[in-house]
Amino acid sequence: MTAGPHLPNDLQAQRAAFHAELERLSIMPLWLNLGAAVQSEPRVEGVPHIWRWRDIKPMMLRGGDLITPQEAERRVLMLINPAFDRKSARTIGMIFGGIQFLMPGEIADSHRHSPSAHRFIIEGDGAYTAVDGERTLMRKGDYVTTPAWAWHDHGNDSAQPMAWLDGLDLPFVNLLDANFFEDYAQGDHQRQPILRESEDSLHRWGRGLRPAWQAPARSDLSPVLNYRWTTSRDALHALRHDAGSPFDGIILEYVNPLTGGPTLPTLSAYLQLLRRDEHTQAHRHTASTIYHVAEGGGGSRIGGRDILWEEGDTFVIPSWVEHEHWSTGGEAVLFSYSDRPILRAFGLLREAASGRKD
Ligand code: 1HN
């Protein structure tokens, strides 16, 4: 921008008056804020960060004593990136991650919202989630989808606390001013009626077969409610002798069986195996990613800084920051999700191996 003392005084004064008049009209000249529009690469505000399970777990148990799910709506500990406003609900980029927990006997009442959600089970065995008339019992390592505007409630009929990682596109939906929410509550009915057998969606759509007499309700959402840990983990191990991805090892995407695409329109989710002594090559991409350590331990070099992780930890990699992963002392399995479908839909997905610009 040309400005400043070398301009003739009268031109400087005229410009200043012009800018002030524009300001009163709620108009901003582009040349006063060129940086916002012209940048050679993304200026990413979010920072790499890790939330450790050993910090979260005691807070979860304390929270269990201090507030009910009814008072809280959802008893979720939001993982907010240190670079963002506490109220932004931003874990990284425009996606959210939080830890939800239910003590034995508790329920989280039915509601629905326009943000899409999914969950990865961290601890416990036997709490259920009900989505649009189907209930599934959740176990550690299961991946459960909750599409936008589907009624959903959770309940813990087991004898142990149950915790899971909630992933939502909430900040993205807020950015678009498209966030709607509705409580199911009709009198005392806080839980939706169960209309189908447990695992119905899996039998119907998730086994490489489909009922030929029935059209799926919508094809842009995965009809499968629960992607079981045992199935996903077996699939990873069955491919363990493959070369895999140089950047991610053996990595599988959870897919919508109707399209082969992501499970939700805005979020894609993955499970990856880092084999013993595996150390991936560095790369970067514009997808902002939230990782959760499902099994084992290891580390990631993110933007030149080493973050060491163990089972239960959750960490983030911002857009366009170089990263590589390794396992330590055996094998590791990482669950992750990102805003990749949004970037892909709008031609904004860019990936580059280390040392390359695109
Ligand atoms: C929500 O509705 C759930 O339904 C979980 O389980 C986490 C985080 C922010 C806003 C709404 C749920 C949430 C949430």
Side-chain angles (χ1 to χ4, degrees), residues 109-335:
D109 301 339
S110 207
H111 70 199
R112 62 179 177 180
H113 37 68
S114 52
S116 300
H118 57 198
R119 320 180 193 285
F120 188 79
I121 314 310
I122 301 174
E123 215 174 78
D125 181 349
Y128 66 81
T129 280
V131 179
D132 267 350
E134 181 176 329
R135 202 179 257 196
T136 185
L137 283 182
M138 303 184 283
R139 297 187 199 103
K140 183 170 154 49
D142 287 354
Y143 168 71
V144 177
T145 57
T146 309
W149 214 236
W151 292 114
H152 56 285
D153 48 80
H154 321 290
N156 187 355
D157 294 333
S158 82
Q160 326 137 38
M162 184 96 194
W164 58 85
L165 173 69
D166 283 316
L168 283 90
D169 58 5
L170 177 67
F172 179 65
V173 175
N174 280 336
L175 179 74
L176 297 177
D177 291 328
N179 195 353
F180 294 86
F181 172 92
E182 200 177 345
D183 254 324
Y184 183 78
Q186 297 164 3
D188 286 338
H189 300 288
Q190 294 149 337
R191 289 186 251 196
Q192 60 180 306
I194 299 307
L195 308 172
R196 290 186 299 279
E197 296 289 324
S198 169
E199 310 290 335
D200 180 85
S201 63
L202 189 67
H203 296 314
R204 225 170 264 273
W205 310 106
R207 298 208 185 278
L209 300 158
R210 54 179 282 175
W213 66 91
Q214 190 184 356
R218 280 176 64 172
S219 63
D220 59 334
L221 304 171
S222 175
V224 177
L225 176 53
N226 192 344
Y227 295 72
R228 292 283 175 202
W229 168 247
T230 46
T231 312
S232 315
R233 191 178 186 280
D234 282 355
L236 270 185
H237 280 275
L239 299 181
R240 58 178 299 116
H241 299 297
D242 241 67
S245 152
F247 309 111
D248 286 300
I250 302 296
I251 183 162
L252 296 175
E253 182 175 1
Y254 294 90
V255 294
N256 172 353
L258 304 172
T259 61
T263 51
L264 297 165
T266 46
L267 299 172
S268 50
Y270 301 84
L271 197 66
Q272 79 191 80
L273 172 68
L274 299 170
R275 291 155 290 191
R276 178 180 283 277
D277 298 328
E278 181 157 7
H279 189 139
T280 66
Q281 290 173 33
H283 76 154
R284 56 181 175 167
H285 43 69
T286 49
S288 303
T289 312
I290 298 178
Y291 287 83
H292 179 79
V293 186
E295 238 180 28
S300 302
R301 174 163 293 182
I302 308 173
R305 188 162 77 90
D306 287 357
I307 290 187
L308 303 182
W309 35 257
E310 54 190 48
E311 190 172 315
D313 294 348
T314 303
F315 62 95
V316 291
I317 302 186
S319 166
W320 214 233
V321 173
E322 254 179 25
H323 56 275
E324 60 199 73
H325 310 289
W326 60 91
S327 55
T328 306
E331 300 196 325
V333 177
L334 297 173
F335 167 78

